[in-house]
Amino acid sequence: MKHCHFKVYKPFGMLSQLTSNEERQLRKKKFLSELYPFNSEIMPIGRLDEKSEGLLLMTTDGKLSDIINRKGVEKEYLAQLDGLISTQAIIELSSGVNIGLFGTTYGTKPCTVEQLMTNPTLPEPNAKLRIGRHRPTSWIRIILTEGKFRQIRKMTAAVGYPTIRLVRVRIGNIYLGHMQPGQVEPITLNTDII
C-alpha cells in the first residue's frame, strides 16, 4: 500500500483531529477535515493544542507516526511570551523544569532555548489572542525532543512567562516555511525525517 503524507499549517482555534464522536464538539469546534478532503485512513502525527498553530504532519503510515512520536525527533517552536524574558528563565527552561502532568510532577528534558532579538516573520496572529493589550512581549525559539501535553505552555508559565502565541515551525527536517494558516501540501515522507 502506498502511503499518503501531508504537511498542514494548523490554524489557531482548530483541534488536531479530523472529527469527534461528541455531538457538542462537532457543533462548537473546528476540525482538520475542514481544510482538505483527507481519506479516512489519515492521522495526525502528534498534536498541537487548540490555541497553538503551525506545522502538523498527517500520514496514513502508523509506523512512521510511531517513529516520530517515540524516537526523540526534534520539534522546533516559536513562542511569544507575556513579559520580557530574563536570562535566568532561559537557563531554567534549557535545563528542564518541573511541570504538572496528569496529576503528577514531570521534569522536562534539557532542551535548546534562545531569545529572538527580532520578531519572527509569521502570518498575522488570530485576533482572539489579544496580543499587546497588557505587558510587553518577547519571543523565544525552543527545540524539544519530547512532546508532553501542553508542555511548552506549562514550561514557560513555570518560569513566570506565560505563552501567548505558540507556532511549531519544524519537525525533524520538515519545515513550515512560508505556509499560511489552513494550507495543506502533499509531501514525500520517509524515515529520513530524523
Side-chain angles (χ1 to χ4, degrees):
M1 173 187 164
K2 191 172 186 312
H3 288 291
C4 304
H5 315 288
F6 298 89
K7 68 177 189 176
V8 176
Y9 188 135
K10 187 196 87 65
F12 173 92
M14 182 172 277
L15 298 179
S16 292
Q17 57 197 63
L18 291 170
T19 186
S20 173
N21 294 327
E22 292 180 37
E23 194 62 42
R24 188 170 163 274
Q25 269 199 338
L26 287 171
R27 279 196 316 274
K28 299 192 179 252
K29 302 290 184 183
K30 292 185 172 186
F31 298 93
L32 298 170
S33 55
E34 297 172 34
L35 302 178
Y36 189 87
F38 294 111
N39 78 38
S40 60
E41 308 293 309
I42 204 107
M43 68 187 97
I45 299 175
R47 302 211 162 204
L48 284 170
D49 69 58
E50 188 175 0
K51 292 188 165 95
S52 298
E53 60 188 286
L55 181 62
L56 187 65
L57 300 178
M58 307 283 288
T59 186
T60 54
D61 185 350
K63 197 178 286 183
L64 183 66
S65 176
D66 210 44
I67 287 170
I68 292 170
N69 287 330
R70 302 211 193 303
K71 296 281 192 220
V73 172
E74 283 188 350
K75 296 162 192 83
E76 181 177 336
Y77 301 81
L78 300 178
Q80 187 173 18
L81 308 179
D82 183 16
L84 301 176
I85 192 165
S86 68
T87 304
Q88 181 59 37
I90 289 175
I91 292 166
E92 288 175 33
L93 288 171
S94 302
S95 305
V97 294
N98 288 331
I99 60 172
L101 195 65
F102 307 116
T104 63
T105 299
Y106 175 79
T108 63
K109 293 178 180 172
C111 60
T112 302
V113 183
E114 65 174 317
Q115 183 173 2
L116 301 181
M117 293 306 154
T118 56
N119 291 350
T121 303
L122 292 167
E124 284 296 307
N126 186 288
K128 290 182 180 166
L129 285 173
R130 301 170 53 143
I131 291 169
R133 304 267 171 94
H134 306 292
R135 299 194 297 171
T137 64
S138 50
W139 283 92
I140 59 169
R141 174 189 321 282
I142 183 163
I143 301 172
L144 303 178
T145 54
E146 55 183 341
K148 303 299 183 194
F149 180 68
R150 298 175 68 85
Q151 181 171 341
I152 291 174
R153 292 179 185 282
K154 290 178 178 183
M155 287 173 70
T156 66
V159 296
Y161 298 90
T163 296
I164 301 170
R165 186 179 186 195
L166 185 60
V167 185
R168 183 160 58 199
V169 294
R170 178 173 67 88
I171 298 171
N173 59 17
I174 298 170
Y175 289 82
L176 184 64
H178 296 293
M179 291 181 78
Q180 295 296 309
Q183 199 174 343
V184 177
E185 288 179 12
I187 55 170
T188 303
L189 264 189
N190 54 44
T191 51
D192 294 344
I193 186 171
I194 306 156

